[in-house]
Amino acid sequence: MEAFSKTPNKLLGQTSPYLLQHLYNPADWHPWGLPALKKAKTENKPLLISIGYSACHWCHVMENECFEDQDVADFMNAHFVCVKVDREERPDVDHVYMNAVMIVEGKGGWPLNCFALPDGRPFWGGTYFPKKTWLSVLMQINRMYNENYDALLQQAESISLATSSSRVPITVDVEPFTLDHTLRFFRNVLSKVDMQEGGLKGAPKFPTPSVFAFLLQYHHLSGHSQAIEALTLTLKKMAYGGIYDQIGGGFARYSTDAKWKVPHFEKMLYDNAQLISLYANAYLVTQENLFRDVVVHTLKFVDEELTTPEGLFYSALDADSQGEEGIYYLWTEKQIEEVLGEDAALVKNYYGVGGKGFGEKGRNILLRSTTDEVFASGCGLSIEEVRQKLESAKNALLSERKNRVKPATDYKIIVSWNAMVICGLLDAHKALGDEKYLQYALRAADAIIQKAISPQGQLLRNLTPGSEPIGGFLEDYAWLCKAFIMLYESTGHLRYMHMAADLARYAETAFSNKGTSMLSFAETKNTDLPEDFFEIFDTVIPSSNSVKAHNFFVLAHFFDNALWAERSQQMLKDAFSLARDYSANMTHWGSLLLRHVFPFYTLVVAGADASAKATNARRTYAPNVLLAVAEKEHSDLPLFMDRYN
């Protein structure tokens, strides 16, 4: 690699840590936007759109091998308009080009590198490329663009046609939903679950909170034992595995193997927020102490590592430090012995050091194999003695770990992900009764209200200080609306429910399209993309339309709004026409199906001491109940009419 000068490219002035990582690449990166598109049209060059995020290990690898290489950069600059995109800032851009690559290659991931016509329409792409392959790809694309443009145009049109179903979902009419629908949906979901190791079958294993939240809800409503078995198996296996930071709390993004052992070490806010909710609700139902401990320690991780001074939340911790993935979290036997002395043998046994946890270069991933009770019995110690020794060892190892080079923090503040944390905090408060979690949720909500919502009701997506304003996407409106609904149920403060309704009304106006019940992902009047799209399928995060459909369902009950009730049902019908074949990717829709089929209740508590009387209800897992609390008369709301006295 030739040396290059420290001259910034067109990313100067951006605030995204991912974009700033590429600021001094010799590749002349532009941020996504109309100036880059205009340059491509003016110079008649194809767009090279490279997408990733700051915590991504393979993004770092490709940057080092390709984008920091002067020869590679010179070719890129001469023949392409190069655009860098943070997928977390612009999930709409990521979706369009990820869809294209999925169609071309049959798989996707990050870094995502997609080639497009000057108007933004994609025609080919892939994920990670080593230097030699990348140079070959660049040369072939350049030759095709100059010598066989019509073939690329035809390819772009074919991709556009193939992705049309995600742009305009068809409104359908299906038979009325019945208990048989829920049973068939459950069986389909269960068939995808690994009943030996938990999670979904195969590897890599991602935490999929919406899948197991559906199973918990189905068990609660139907009493089906296999649903709770699949849930508890998964939560225990994850909590015992290397994917969970055994001494620091919090979950990595996924496990590279089928047994949750070897994590991809980046820690994402959205994963941990949703898993806090899942473990908290599972604790409410099972009273399994392990689940409570995971909630406490994961929230401690979020508080210490990802919380801003004003009580909002950063996006992620990097997978790498010192140029190597995971080294911050790994231990040799010698390191543990030096830190723990005479207790090292017990701790090594507990965490599988030298055995189950052994990995590359003599380093170990800390993980567990059994309960504290079984482990204590095998050691001939009392459970209290074991836990005391382990707590002391954890503190010592954490103290030592803090002397290492810490993975970088992605300091972006994303509204939807912050709303997920608010939901997690409220679920933790409900399950554990710790008032500080409620106070953290209220503090974060107040900061979002002050910073993210305009007087006209429009949301911002990115609250990072100094960042260029980016309008909120449907995901931001949906999750913040859900957080406000939960805040109302937790506090009885009506302003939160009214703010939820305001967000729902704004989203209906700004994201609706004729001919479909679904809402587009970006505001239709503001999009700078070559095509619109609709997010329907659940991934690690439930789809924005499924979250919004849940919101419409709840708000319809609270405000006695028949139009919202009809919209929620129609969205479910349209989704369910797909869910028969994609149940594991539609489980948040499945949870809405359960709400529509099983009885749904509104529990109204009204009177001067209503909040105190509602305490027990707030401490109960009840996904088929809306809790409405009023300590004074509200004659303008039909729900409370004639109930106060």
Side-chain angles (χ1 to χ4, degrees), residues 248-561:
F251 289 87
R253 182 163 164 255
Y254 65 87
S255 167
T256 61
D257 61 295
K259 295 187 176 182
W260 306 108
K261 175 184 175 179
V262 183
H264 192 30
F265 284 92
E266 64 209 46
K267 287 180 170 181
M268 310 303 296
L269 183 66
Y270 58 78
D271 285 323
N272 286 283
Q274 293 180 87
L275 288 168
I276 289 163
S277 285
L278 181 61
Y279 275 90
N281 285 317
Y283 173 69
L284 268 179
V285 172
T286 66
Q287 292 297 293
E288 170 65 58
N289 287 334
L290 173 66
F291 300 164
R292 178 201 61 206
D293 292 344
V294 168
V295 171
V296 170
H297 292 127
T298 302
L299 277 168
K300 187 172 185 289
F301 153 70
V302 172
D303 182 43
E304 294 180 352
E305 303 286 349
L306 294 177
T307 301
T308 76
E310 61 208 334
L312 292 171
F313 307 99
Y314 299 128
S315 292
L317 289 185
D318 206 325
D320 299 6
S321 55
Q322 296 179 280
E324 190 169 350
E325 183 183 4
I327 191 171
Y328 183 74
Y329 301 99
L330 302 174
W331 299 86
T332 65
E333 290 192 63
K334 182 180 179 182
Q335 287 172 331
I336 290 178
E337 289 163 359
E338 289 174 346
V339 174
L340 299 182
E342 63 182 18
D343 286 334
L346 179 140
V347 172
K348 287 194 298 180
N349 188 20
Y350 184 83
Y351 287 124
V353 175
K356 188 177 179 181
F358 190 76
E360 297 176 354
K361 301 180 182 179
R363 298 171 182 153
N364 290 264
I365 299 165
L366 303 186
L367 42 75
R368 295 173 54 184
S369 298
T370 188
T371 65
D372 288 351
E373 289 79 7
V374 170
F375 181 81
S377 176
C379 296
L381 299 171
S382 70
I383 185 69
E384 290 77 15
E385 287 177 303
V386 165
R387 286 180 174 164
Q388 188 176 35
K389 287 179 179 291
L390 288 172
E391 189 63 26
S392 176
K394 276 186 183 181
N395 291 334
L397 291 172
L398 271 176
S399 179
E400 177 63 24
R401 196 169 81 177
K402 288 177 181 177
N403 293 325
R404 300 175 177 179
V405 177
K406 181 183 172 184
T409 302
D410 185 331
Y411 291 104
K412 286 196 311 298
I413 303 170
I414 302 296
V415 166
S416 58
W417 298 4
N418 274 254
M420 292 175 203
V421 180
I422 293 172
C423 295
L425 286 163
L426 295 173
D427 281 325
H429 173 249
K430 177 174 65 176
L432 278 58
D434 191 328
E435 285 298 310
K436 73 171 178 276
Y437 298 143
L438 176 60
Q439 295 308 312
Y440 292 165
L442 291 168
R443 181 178 65 172
D446 287 345
I448 290 175
I449 292 166
Q450 292 171 20
K451 294 175 176 293
I453 306 177
S454 76
Q456 294 75 36
Q458 187 177 27
L459 272 181
L460 293 176
R461 174 168 179 81
N462 186 355
L463 302 184
T464 310
S467 62
E468 183 178 345
I470 298 173
F473 300 107
L474 184 63
E475 173 185 275
D476 301 295
Y477 286 86
W479 279 98
L480 188 57
C481 182
K482 177 180 179 178
F484 284 155
I485 291 170
M486 291 181 65
L487 278 164
Y488 166 71
E489 290 189 282
S490 297
T491 65
H493 297 160
L494 268 173
R495 75 182 186 112
Y496 292 119
M497 190 62 92
H498 283 299
M499 282 191 284
D502 289 342
L503 287 175
R505 293 187 191 100
Y506 185 94
E508 265 198 303
T509 300
F511 296 86
S512 285
N513 285 259
K514 292 181 180 179
T516 177
S517 66
M518 299 292 182
L519 301 171
S520 59
F521 190 76
E523 285 198 50
T524 52
K525 66 178 184 295
N526 292 336
T527 184
D528 52 11
L529 291 171
E531 59 187 40
D532 195 8
F533 78 93
F534 297 78
E535 187 184 49
I536 299 170
F537 293 103
D538 301 328
T539 57
V540 172
I541 299 175
S543 67
S544 50
N545 267 297
S546 68
V547 178
K548 202 70 198 146
H550 275 269
N551 294 339
F552 284 136
F553 178 86
V554 173
L555 292 169
H557 279 79
F558 189 85
F559 289 98
D560 193 23
N561 187 318

Side-chain angles (χ1 to χ4, degrees), residues 22-127:
H22 296 79
L23 176 61
Y24 293 102
N25 291 172
D28 189 24
W29 295 115
H30 296 66
W32 173 266
L34 295 178
L37 295 171
K38 183 178 179 181
K39 179 180 173 67
K41 290 177 182 177
T42 301
E43 298 181 6
N44 190 26
K45 291 180 179 178
L47 290 157
L48 192 175
I49 302 156
S50 184
I51 305 173
Y53 58 104
S54 72
C56 170
H57 170 70
W58 288 103
C59 298
H60 300 328
V61 173
M62 189 166 177
E63 179 191 12
N64 179 259
E65 292 178 348
C66 300
F67 306 145
E68 291 183 345
D69 186 286
Q70 188 68 55
D71 293 335
V72 175
D74 286 344
F75 193 90
M76 290 167 57
N77 297 338
H79 301 289
F80 301 88
V81 174
C82 305
V83 178
K84 259 292 169 193
V85 179
D86 184 328
R87 75 167 179 106
E88 297 163 354
E89 273 192 342
R90 293 300 302 263
D92 56 335
V93 178
D94 178 58
H95 183 97
V96 168
Y97 295 106
M98 180 66 77
N99 259 6
V101 171
M102 290 287 288
I103 288 166
V104 171
E105 293 290 291
K107 60 182 180 179
W110 299 280
L112 186 76
N113 294 286
C114 194
F115 297 90
L117 303 176
D119 62 7
R121 286 182 293 166
F123 59 78
W124 194 83
T127 54

